Amino acid sequence: MAQARLREGEEIDGFLIGAPLHVGGMAALWEVTHPDHELPMVMKVPRIAEGEDPAAIVSFEMEQMILPRLAGPHVPRFVASGGFDRQPYLVMERIPGKSLVSLLDALPLPVERVAELGARVAEALDALHRQHVVHLDVKPSNILLRAGGEAVLVDFGLSHHRQLPDLMEEEFRLPYGTAPYMAPEQIMGIRCEPRSDIFALGAMLYFFTTGERPFGDPQRLSGLKRRLWRDPVPPRKLRPDCPDWLQELVLRCLEVPPERRHPTASQLAFELRHPDQVPLTARARKLAQDGWAAATRRRFHPDHKPRFDRVPSVGEEAAIAPIVAVAVDLPAEDPALHAALRETVGHILATLPGARLACVNVLRQNRIALDTTLDEQGRNKHLQRLVELRHWAAPLALPEGRITFHVLEATSPAAAILEHARVNGIDHIVMGARAGSLRRRMLGSVSGEVAAEAPCSVTVVRARGGGGAEALPAEASAG
Amino acid sequence: MRIAVLSDIHANAEAFEACLADAARRGARRHVLLGDLVGYGADPHRVLDRAQALAAEGAVIVKGNHDEAAVLDRGGMTADAAAAAAWTREVLDAAQKEFLASLPMEVEEEDRLYVHADAAEPTRWHYLRDAEDARRSLDAVPSRVMLCGHVHVPALYGLTAAAKLVAFKPVPGVGVPLTRPRRWVGVLGAVGQPRDGNPAACYAMLDEAANELTLHRVPYDIESAAAKIRAAGLPERLAARLFRGQ
């Protein structure tokens, strides 16, 4: 496996080597150009000289397997990869701009910035998890921001793909990851848990909020394992102006058992985008760590030691813990439709215990009166709609934390519902089809437009016998 | 080039045809049959006709233990398998037996080895049931990639330079890169008698350009295949297990 080091000006398979960009523990990055590819690119080359970490080559092999299978704005675009005949390499899109490491000098960050960054990263993780990959090395240096604001995850050398052989798992007994951010189950050798990434993001958000790492930067396995029994100092203790909702979210991400964290990154992103809707628990107000008695029990008592199950590679989390949005027309024009809508939503939620419901109402704005909506009357209207939404949802008897309420002010209901679905990563929209009124004939069908344009499934509900002679079927799903 | 690799067809013409049609749709240019063309199932004539036609087009075919037993009774089989082998010996003509007898035990092609069972001792028909078995086989051959069948349950094993093995259950439809310099053992599922709880026929596609192996599951007309087994008077269990994939 002896190889010459790359040099600037050399050419490999048509890629012209440019300036060296970075030399890390496991690989080096070089700027490259190619006459057939216009986008800015980097070439990643593993460190496989003798005496170097054998994990470097396996990790490179994993990245060569995983990166070509990923798509979307939250990962660098794969360009090419080369074999082991001469020089193993991986060429990908170069993401301009700096990694989140550049923020570390300015910690602690303003609360709004923490929430915005957190939501962006959670969205990227959700996109990754939906492509069957757990990143397992989420940290500031592995996250970049595109000009449009989307977070981009890089370095899949420690990642796990649920549908591919995991070479890292079989190869090494010690956990690989980055000490300050590694989830407890990852420390114990479990590599297939997507919520490990949620833990790492939580550790990052804690760091951004307080300027301190929740578990320090331990260098030994015993130090790493400490987080299995010792809980972090609550952020509010370090930063008194940390809002209760942010502490709630951060500490939930840092829960030791994965099942106590958010079920999906998408649900975490949703809460970071709607601080007023975060259900607060005892975590939110904590000002001190758990007492030594509790910590000692967790450390030594066989019944209180955390245990981790290897997650069976069954269905995807998003499929069992989706965000369902229901668009409710208010005030109720058609009580039968209101009831049918609630019944349908009830059926969907009954089969998906991890699902959460976002109740949405569009408060139509007059184009001309747009600037005067913030007056007293407008606020009252908004509040009244919220009250009515809660009233509509009350029979569903959902606990706080599974349901949120949103009044959107917009001129076009369909556009508002679609935008809400896009921004919040909604998995399924449920809405009623308005009866054949004059208004609908004049304006077209809102549900029709949403079903045609939505980024997710749409169920259109109609009350039996209540719709009159309409062309649309009583219930339709669109992928 | 894409190569369709099919193992353990077991005289199940319905499953065989369904897999060949699926492979053709996916752009297969060549075929490799990893043995056990006959035995258990009740339509050996159609399967052998098709296999001989493929061989004329350049398909690689290796011999399985049931192909051997269809020519000469060497004992050592379970009661159901022995009954099916005896029946097969009766219905095959001399030319068909000669074709089966002429099949090679293993074939090497580029950095790949095709064999029905354990490559360490191909004529002993050992099963590759776990990473240790796969390791023994791989140690005995120089090829980088070894493809076999015989077990009727698909699995993939990867071996590193550090001599550690990765066992993996392939996900249907998802290509697994057979990365270099790692060495790999692919144990294919069965076309004609799956035993991993999924009754759909199983075969694999090898994409040489992408250096990927993809497992595919193909639904087929089990009713007809089972009806032929019953009509031939073969043990009922051989018909029933097709529906359960066990």
Side-chain angles (χ1 to χ4, degrees), chain A residues 131-152:
Chain A
Q131 296 180 74
H132 320 291
V133 173
V134 191
H135 190 284
L136 296 176
D137 200 13
V138 173
K139 57 179 173 179
S141 60
N142 280 342
I143 301 164
L144 294 95
L145 295 177
R146 285 190 194 273
E150 297 100 337
V152 183

Side-chain angles (χ1 to χ4, degrees), chain A residues 306-372:
Chain A
R307 276 172 219 287
F308 304 101
D309 298 326
R310 285 190 185 263
V311 191
S313 295
V314 288
E316 300 303 307
E317 299 64 39
I320 52 177
I323 306 177
V324 179
V326 57
V328 185
D329 234 356
L330 291 170
E333 272 181 26
D334 181 350
L337 180 59
H338 255 201
L341 194 60
R342 193 163 44 227
E343 197 182 328
T344 302
V345 167
H347 289 322
I348 292 171
L349 294 175
T351 58
L352 301 164
R356 60 192 295 164
L357 182 68
C359 301
V360 178
N361 172 259
V362 182
L363 180 56
R364 284 184 76 112
Q365 295 299 321
N366 226 323
R367 272 173 218 276
I368 307 155
L370 209 59
D371 290 344
T372 62

Side-chain angles (χ1 to χ4, degrees), chain A residues 269-289:
Chain A
F270 188 92
E271 294 200 337
L272 284 161
R273 293 219 178 275
H274 303 281
D276 54 325
Q277 308 254 0
V278 175
L280 302 179
T281 70
R283 290 182 205 112
R285 305 222 140 258
K286 252 178 108 169
L287 283 174
Q289 285 171 287

Side-chain angles (χ1 to χ4, degrees), chain A residues 61 69 84 163-164 167 171, chain B residues 164 175 179-180 182 212:
Chain A
E61 198 181 340
R69 281 149 208 273
F84 284 74
Q163 301 184 332
L164 293 176
L167 309 174
E171 206 86 8
Chain B
K164 287 191 186 159
T179 49
R180 294 169 217 277
R182 193 176 286 270
E212 275 185 6

Side-chain angles (χ1 to χ4, degrees), chain A residues 49-134:
Chain A
E50 231 162 296
E52 288 185 25
D53 190 347
I57 194 65
V58 179
S59 128
F60 188 77
E61 198 181 340
M62 285 306 295
E63 189 160 25
Q64 268 191 324
M65 273 197 197
I66 291 174
L67 191 63
R69 281 149 208 273
L70 295 176
H74 301 294
V75 294
R77 213 169 94 201
F78 167 79
V79 178
S81 92
F84 284 74
D85 322 334
R86 185 175 151 226
Q87 169 65 68
Y89 67 84
L90 189 57
V91 179
M92 66 192 94
E93 170 191 10
R94 179 177 183 185
I95 311 291
K98 290 177 183 163
S99 76
L100 297 191
V101 167
S102 58
L103 300 174
L104 300 187
D105 291 336
L107 299 187
L109 300 179
V111 167
E112 300 70 36
R113 183 90 175 111
V114 174
E116 169 66 17
L117 280 171
R120 293 287 192 181
V121 177
E123 280 157 13
L125 287 174
D126 182 55
L128 191 68
H129 294 167
R130 282 173 197 264
Q131 296 180 74
H132 320 291
V133 173
V134 191

